[in-house]
Amino acid sequence: MAEFVRLAGAPDRLANLVGETTLTPDATDPYYERVLFALREDALTAPARSGSPAVYTSYRPDHFDSYAVDRPSYVVLGAVPTLQWLDWLDDDRVEVVFGGDPGRQLIEWAEIRGRDHRMRAEPLPTDVAVESVDLGMPAAFDDDGRFAPDGAPAPTRVETDAATLERLVTAAEIVDSEGVPVVVEDGQFRLAVSGEVVAGTGTLSARTVEGPDCRNWYGPELGALTRTLGGPVRLEIVPDGPMAVVQETESATRRYVLDERV
């Protein structure tokens, strides 16, 4: 069995990568139980298609302490055991090695190598047929990476941060709302949650707000998403339609698409 890929980094940084791809802030409660990674020389990408939100994250080589691909390949990992082992290790830096049959592209084993311990998983879950998986960007994005589900860029844009989105989700949970309202009104990002007894209104923190007003509703998956992210995010919204949550940094791009709850 040959080695295909080697990467290294701090365990918590690698755990964050798995968590934000599977929407798993807590290893005991994953939103997606498995994740597919495509490992290429120029990037590690994680396209997850099923359900809402759809996920597409991309990490450049400098996101890691080291990153070397001898053979472009694909791997399916279980979210929970991967996060548990990364949490168990007490090393400042670990190396992850992927390998398999030289005649195939699907990785069959993975090994996490710390200073004093090695954890090997073999065989890995291989019930995803690579031939049937679209490894490109979700169809809702155009060639320039803009969210354009109807062929035109989403008209409403809000630049805010993950903490503000999490506060919005928490407010909806407090009033026992049936969903999470994302509201833009008169050039402001608005708090507009309501339940049977309590309602909350006001403004939410945003650096910029552009485009037409909207009052969209999304499900609890928005909470799973916001609790795995930190820092600035951009909302690209189709009024009465889907929303993309996008985060771009120097070494990574994260894209999530949520269907509106009717």
Side-chain angles (χ1 to χ4, degrees):
M1 289 290 187
E3 293 185 1
F4 291 173
V5 178
R6 295 172 300 281
L7 60 87
D12 58 350
R13 189 171 181 83
L14 300 180
N16 287 343
L17 184 153
V18 176
E20 66 199 20
T21 301
T22 58
L23 306 183
T24 305
D26 181 349
T28 64
D29 186 25
Y31 194 89
Y32 291 121
E33 293 187 356
R34 293 180 180 177
V35 61
L36 168 69
F37 287 122
L39 301 111
R40 298 170 175 164
E41 292 181 0
D42 60 342
L44 181 154
T45 60
R49 295 291 181 270
S50 61
S52 174
V55 182
Y56 185 86
T57 56
S58 178
Y59 307 89
R60 289 174 282 282
D62 59 358
H63 189 77
F64 308 93
D65 291 352
S66 64
Y67 180 82
V69 176
D70 295 335
R71 180 183 179 84
S73 46
Y74 315 97
V75 62
V76 180
L77 295 176
V80 171
T82 303
L83 290 170
Q84 287 176 331
W85 277 121
L86 288 170
D87 180 64
W88 184 86
L89 289 164
D90 57 1
D91 298 270
D92 295 331
R93 180 182 185 274
V94 297
E95 182 180 41
V96 183
V97 181
F98 298 105
D101 184 339
R104 305 182 65 198
Q105 286 187 300
L106 191 63
I107 288 169
E108 298 173 344
W109 59 266
E111 191 168 272
I112 303 175
R113 300 173 180 175
R115 182 180 58 253
D116 300 316
H117 306 91
R118 290 190 177 192
M119 291 77 190
R120 186 180 178 95
E122 183 180 7
L124 293 175
T126 56
D127 55 355
V128 173
V130 173
E131 294 79 8
S132 67
V133 175
D134 178 8
L135 295 173
M137 196 177 299
F141 291 88
D142 63 20
D143 293 340
D144 295 323
R146 296 173 301 182
F147 183 54
D150 298 320
T156 302
R157 295 163 64 96
V158 176
E159 293 187 358
T160 182
D161 54 64
T164 296
L165 286 183
E166 186 172 355
R167 293 186 70 235
L168 170 60
V169 171
T170 301
E173 292 172 344
I174 290 172
V175 304
D176 198 23
S177 173
E178 294 184 356
V180 182
V182 173
V183 178
V184 169
E185 188 175 74
D186 297 329
Q188 293 183 320
F189 187 29
R190 302 286 299 174
L191 173 70
V193 297
S194 60
E196 291 186 4
V197 178
V198 180
T201 60
T203 58
L204 294 167
S205 175
R207 296 184 302 281
T208 61
V209 179
E210 301 173 347
D213 290 355
C214 66
R215 183 178 290 265
N216 291 14
W217 289 82
Y218 301 99
E221 63 268 22
L222 182 58
L225 188 161
T226 60
R227 287 163 183 156
T228 60
L229 291 178
V233 296
R234 182 174 69 250
L235 310 182
E236 301 181 11
I237 310 165
V238 177
D240 299 318
M243 174 177 70
V245 180
V246 181
Q247 184 179 75
E248 298 172 314
T249 66
E250 291 183 357
S251 64
T253 301
R254 304 166 178 90
R255 295 180 175 92
Y256 308 86
V257 179
L258 295 86
D259 295 330
E260 190 187 24
R261 171 176 287 191
V262 179

